[in-house]
Amino acid sequence: MIEELLLYNFRNYKTLRLKPSEAINIFIGQNGQGKTNILEAIKVILSSEKLRSCEYRDLIFKKEESGSIISKIKNNQSFDEIKIIFRENKKTILINDKPSNGPQLKKKWSEVTFTPDSLNIIKSTPELRRQLIDELMFQTSNESLDRYQKFKKILLNRNKILKNFKEGKSTLNETNKLLRIIDPLFTEVSTQITEKRIKTLNEFKPYFDVATQNIFNSESQVEIHYQASGKKLNQVDHNFIHNLIENRILELKSAELSIGHSLVGPQKHDIDFIFDNHNARSYCSQGQQRALILAFKMAQIVYHYRLRGYYPILLLDDVMSELDEYRTKEIFRFLIQLPTQIFITTTDLNLNLSESEIKKEIKIFKINHGSIVSERVIQCQI
Ligand SMILES: Nc1ncnc2c1ncn2[C@@H]1O[C@H](COP(=O)(O)OP(=O)(O)OP(=O)(O)O)[C@@H](O)[C@H]1O
Ligand SMILES: [Mg+2]
């Protein structure tokens, strides 16, 4: 859990010192005051990932040269001080004053984030749906995160080879020689990642079923299908997937050479949500699509607990504005009882729950123009 958060020249905060509750924290304030900025700092500290896509320089208080986030974080095994410094569009990560990197942060802690954007994943780009399944996969083991980092490096090199050819920096002969070396490795790691994603989805399925039955009152049948090269893959079969990727590379070779980057591999795969035998993207209403992703994330939290024995930290950015009263109530009832630290932003404090339903400490921070103007604690009986 986060014991302390310090911000210096981060977004609209000159300086901020936050001592959160180990249970529920609510940031309340009008639009544009800096509520999401605090959540963003927490997200970066826990995962090294940004909440909203932007450049690192956008995170620095305007016109300043650098900004930083410092946090003291405790878990069962350790107590660490994390420092992240942003300067000249770069970030530096220090764990207990030693240089570190994003994957290290990801391995140390887990978080599950709910944002209005993340709730719209079903109809957005495949990249965000891949992130959804990759987050799930990284939860299962640190090894899968290492494998993914390795894959990203190989993909970067492969793309460089194809780009060099496109830009006339290397001949077809030279390019073919290099591809002959890199492609067996690329195919193997791509196969391993695809296999692991499918395996994770299969293990996750029972948890997702329970969550969708709760949210949709058992009325509907929901499935998730993994899509690779236009094929539905639900079985882990190493040779089949390996051949599929190998053949696809041959098929798309000339297209890859003329476009100058890889068109094959797990960075092109997708997942489809199937709702009562129809693709949710075109069949479900906006609200149903959001509810599906909520079910996914609720199931992810339980799955994480089953795998690791503790719950991830939860970040909820303005999600109440996206859901109807019934769903908000159901979701909050579920989340708020979890024995983990929770951070919530909202413009109005209407959780739709009676205080007797919330049996935990709630710390409420009022945010105004880049500072905490008041702080109060509601102690609820345990
Ligand atoms: N680099 C920066 N330097 C200074 N201010 C910034 C910087 N980046 C963003 N801001 C300011 O931060 C504010 C937005 O903060 P944030 O997104 O946290 O708002 P919010 O309280 O979550 O609002 P809403 O309720 O609308 O979501 C804006 O006023 C914006 O101008
Ligand atoms: Mg906000």
Side-chain angles (χ1 to χ4, degrees), residues 143-166:
E143 195 196 358
S144 55
L145 181 59
D146 292 337
R147 192 185 299 124
Y148 195 75
Q149 296 301 325
K150 181 175 160 193
F151 165 73
K152 278 206 319 204
K153 271 189 206 148
I154 299 170
L155 177 65
L156 207 71
N157 283 329
R158 192 173 187 271
N159 284 342
K160 215 180 272 169
I161 295 168
L162 293 165
K163 190 165 172 243
N164 281 346
F165 174 75
K166 192 192 173 203

Side-chain angles (χ1 to χ4, degrees), residues 355-362 378-382:
E355 284 196 8
S356 62
E357 284 184 90
I358 310 167
K359 298 184 173 66
K360 288 166 106 184
E361 178 186 278
I362 306 182
I378 306 175
Q379 287 286 0
C380 299
Q381 75 277 21
I382 309 271

Side-chain angles (χ1 to χ4, degrees), residues 86-143:
F86 304 98
R87 191 191 294 274
E88 289 174 1
N89 218 21
K90 285 203 180 103
K91 74 167 183 262
T92 310
I93 301 175
L94 301 169
I95 301 183
N96 301 322
D97 289 324
K98 292 200 187 79
S100 190
N101 53 37
Q104 276 318 108
L105 289 185
K106 262 185 159 345
K107 283 178 189 174
K108 266 183 153 342
W109 302 285
S110 327
E111 44 76 34
V112 172
T113 306
F114 299 75
T115 65
D117 278 352
S118 72
L119 294 187
N120 291 322
I121 276 178
I122 287 191
K123 64 170 190 292
S124 63
T125 60
E127 187 186 356
L128 296 177
R129 287 187 291 279
R130 282 193 295 271
Q131 270 173 22
L132 204 62
I133 154 91
D134 285 337
E135 270 177 30
L136 209 60
M137 177 174 77
F138 299 152
Q139 266 179 209
T140 64
S141 70
N142 285 342
E143 195 196 358

Side-chain angles (χ1 to χ4, degrees), residues 27 34-40 51-52 112-119 314-322 332 342-347:
F27 304 106
K35 305 180 296 292
T36 301
N37 292 345
I38 297 181
L39 234 62
E40 189 171 42
L51 198 60
R52 303 171 271 201
V112 172
T113 306
F114 299 75
T115 65
D117 278 352
S118 72
L119 294 187
L314 307 181
L315 309 179
L316 281 78
D317 187 27
D318 216 11
V319 284
M320 286 176 263
S321 61
E322 298 285 313
F332 272 87
I342 307 179
F343 296 90
I344 300 169
T345 75
T346 180
T347 44

Side-chain angles (χ1 to χ4, degrees), residues 124-219:
S124 63
T125 60
E127 187 186 356
L128 296 177
R129 287 187 291 279
R130 282 193 295 271
Q131 270 173 22
L132 204 62
I133 154 91
D134 285 337
E135 270 177 30
L136 209 60
M137 177 174 77
F138 299 152
Q139 266 179 209
T140 64
S141 70
N142 285 342
E143 195 196 358
S144 55
L145 181 59
D146 292 337
R147 192 185 299 124
Y148 195 75
Q149 296 301 325
K150 181 175 160 193
F151 165 73
K152 278 206 319 204
K153 271 189 206 148
I154 299 170
L155 177 65
L156 207 71
N157 283 329
R158 192 173 187 271
N159 284 342
K160 215 180 272 169
I161 295 168
L162 293 165
K163 190 165 172 243
N164 281 346
F165 174 75
K166 192 192 173 203
E167 291 177 350
K169 290 180 187 159
S170 58
T171 64
L172 184 60
N173 228 343
E174 286 163 345
T175 307
N176 278 335
K177 231 184 209 169
L178 291 170
L179 286 177
R180 269 200 296 276
I181 297 168
I182 202 166
D183 275 354
L185 196 60
F186 178 76
T187 307
E188 181 54 31
V189 181
S190 293
T191 305
Q192 288 172 3
I193 289 176
T194 308
E195 266 184 288
K196 181 69 184 171
R197 280 182 179 166
I198 298 169
K199 186 164 179 267
T200 305
L201 270 182
N202 289 346
E203 281 171 12
F204 174 68
K205 180 84 174 59
Y207 300 92
F208 184 60
D209 286 345
V210 171
T212 51
Q213 274 160 25
N214 278 337
I215 285 202
F216 294 100
N217 285 330
S218 314
E219 288 161 5

